Amino acid sequence: MAGMPPTLSQFIRARQQDYPDAVGEFSQVMSAIALGGKLISREINLAGLVGATGYTGRTNIQGEEVAKLDEWSNDLLVDLLGETGCVCVMGSEEVEGPIVPPESASNGRYAVLFDPVDGSSNIDIAAPVGTIFSIQRRATESGVGNLDDLLQPGRSQAAAGYILYGSSTMFVYTTGQGVHAFTLDPTMGEFHLTTEELRFPEKSNVYSTNEGNSGTWLEPDLKWVNWIKQNDPDTGRPYSARYIGALVADFHRILLKGGIFAYPGNTGRPDGKLRLLYECSPMAFIAEQAGGAATNGTKRILDIEPTGLHQRTPYYIGTAREVELIGRFHEGRGPG
Ligand code: AHG
Ligand code: MN
Ligand code: MN
């Protein structure tokens, strides 16, 4: 199409040489997620009009209230991915154990993990939310997949991405060959390429964290947050604070504008709040591919060997310089 940037599916087809062993199946998985994103985007845009706001009255495995849109989006992604026949098992924030597609369709080569709606408490106030996904090659040989396919370290992801439902709907993903961003044209129902090879900017003195929790933070995080708030223009301090309360939206801003997002552990919850497999690992893959970093304070997120589907981890993600700085505090070395 002359003058039009490629659509997501055209772009994936054009990049088939990046994954020669599994072209067709991979594109089908990505198409299912993209279609899910368009349907979720529409539902969110209409929210109050179609009764998509509010809560179901149930709590999930995390003990958190389930928003109506959490449940609707979870069921949608399970159906769309399941019917591709390319997925052997799925893991979702909203479901306790592995989810297997109908038996006839469960011999696919991929395992997919997702957070159907990230930041779901933002829906009722028309603020940004997102969807996060992680695609792993199956670890088991064949047939129906199981937990072994889901409990793989982040470094082995075949692809990861997120959809941001903000003032625009954006689809951002990586297969380990850079990070690419697409914008939804809702009149066409298509995602079009808007940035190829997205990289973090150099500028970085912005921090994004729920500092209201700092009364229960541990010493390294307290020292860090006090340091970045001191007035020292030569080192870019004080930093500016920005916090939307949806990881996808907070991370997207940092990817484009620079800075760091932190969700530390605390005295009550040493592993913090965010979940390794369907929140932290996929975003970490994107961050590294964009020239940034993600750790739990001392260790690379992508190297953590998972032990549970819903395990949590302290989380620091952003420009390499900022993630290195917080690491210095965790190693007791100070800002240096
Ligand atoms: P979810 O809606 O999928 O449960 O995730 C919400 C997460 C994350 O997106 C956000 O960064 C964090 O929770 C906000 O938590 P606080 O309200 O504790 O700041
Ligand atoms: Mn989430
Ligand atoms: Mn969620």
Side-chain angles (χ1 to χ4, degrees), residues 20 35 41 47-48 80 95 126 142 155 170 244 250 259 272 281-282 289 299:
L35 176 57
S41 184
L80 289 173
V95 181
S142 59
R155 63 172 179 270
M170 308 271 318
I244 297 168
D250 283 310
S281 275
Q289 283 294 315
K299 187 172 178 168

Side-chain angles (χ1 to χ4, degrees), residues 60 64 70 93-94 114-120 130 275 278-279:
N60 66 12
E64 295 162 350
D70 286 327
E93 179 194 350
E94 303 304 333
F114 47 85
D115 178 354
V117 181
D118 172 63
S120 52
R275 282 60 56 105
Y278 44 79
E279 291 178 321

Side-chain angles (χ1 to χ4, degrees), residues 61-124:
I61 170 74
Q62 339 267 343
E64 295 162 350
E65 283 186 294
V66 178
K68 284 192 213 161
L69 199 75
D70 286 327
E71 192 169 272
W72 184 87
S73 308
N74 176 73
D75 296 351
L76 176 71
L77 290 175
V78 167
D79 286 351
L80 289 173
L81 284 164
E83 70 197 18
T84 61
C86 305
V87 174
C88 65
V89 66
M90 291 165 269
S92 165
E93 179 194 350
E94 303 304 333
V95 181
E96 183 169 0
I99 308 160
V100 285
E103 197 151 354
S104 57
S106 59
N107 197 20
R109 61 203 302 173
Y110 293 106
V112 184
L113 296 119
F114 47 85
D115 178 354
V117 181
D118 172 63
S120 52
S121 63
N122 278 359
I123 296 161
D124 292 3

Side-chain angles (χ1 to χ4, degrees), residues 75-295:
D75 296 351
L76 176 71
L77 290 175
V78 167
D79 286 351
L80 289 173
L81 284 164
E83 70 197 18
T84 61
C86 305
V87 174
C88 65
V89 66
M90 291 165 269
S92 165
E93 179 194 350
E94 303 304 333
V95 181
E96 183 169 0
I99 308 160
V100 285
E103 197 151 354
S104 57
S106 59
N107 197 20
R109 61 203 302 173
Y110 293 106
V112 184
L113 296 119
F114 47 85
D115 178 354
V117 181
D118 172 63
S120 52
S121 63
N122 278 359
I123 296 161
D124 292 3
I125 56 164
V129 295
T131 295
I132 309 173
F133 63 92
S134 164
I135 305 176
Q136 293 275 9
R137 291 172 200 88
R138 68 182 304 159
T140 52
E141 283 295 308
S142 59
V144 176
N146 61 38
L147 208 49
D148 291 343
D149 300 301
L150 298 171
L151 299 188
Q152 301 191 62
R155 63 172 179 270
S156 65
Q157 289 171 103
Y162 61 83
I163 305 161
L164 168 64
Y165 312 102
S167 51
S168 292
T169 295
M170 308 271 318
F171 189 107
V172 178
Y173 85 100
T174 186
T175 57
Q177 310 282 333
V179 177
H180 313 298
F182 299 77
T183 303
L184 180 65
D185 175 349
T187 64
M188 300 273 294
E190 291 280 10
F191 287 104
H192 289 276
L193 181 67
T194 37
T195 315
E196 202 171 343
E197 306 286 347
L198 198 49
R199 309 279 299 174
F200 282 98
E202 278 298 313
K203 186 177 181 310
S204 66
N205 57 345
V206 173
Y207 75 113
S208 181
T209 190
N210 186 345
E211 207 178 337
N213 293 330
S214 60
T216 62
W217 282 2
L218 308 173
E219 202 176 306
D221 301 300
L222 280 174
K223 284 188 167 158
W224 166 74
V225 87
N226 287 332
W227 188 81
I228 63 178
K229 288 192 296 186
Q230 284 164 8
N231 186 29
D232 179 22
D234 287 348
T235 51
R237 291 181 292 158
Y239 285 28
S240 285
R242 295 284 184 274
Y243 194 66
I244 297 168
L247 172 63
V248 170
D250 283 310
F251 175 77
H252 187 73
R253 189 195 51 248
I254 285 165
L255 181 57
L256 270 66
K257 303 286 184 189
I260 181 166
F261 173 92
Y263 208 111
N266 58 54
T267 48
R269 285 208 293 206
D271 289 329
K273 176 178 183 186
L274 298 179
R275 282 60 56 105
L276 176 65
L277 290 175
Y278 44 79
E279 291 178 321
C280 302
S281 275
M283 298 309 237
F285 191 18
I286 292 171
E288 288 197 5
Q289 283 294 315
T295 70

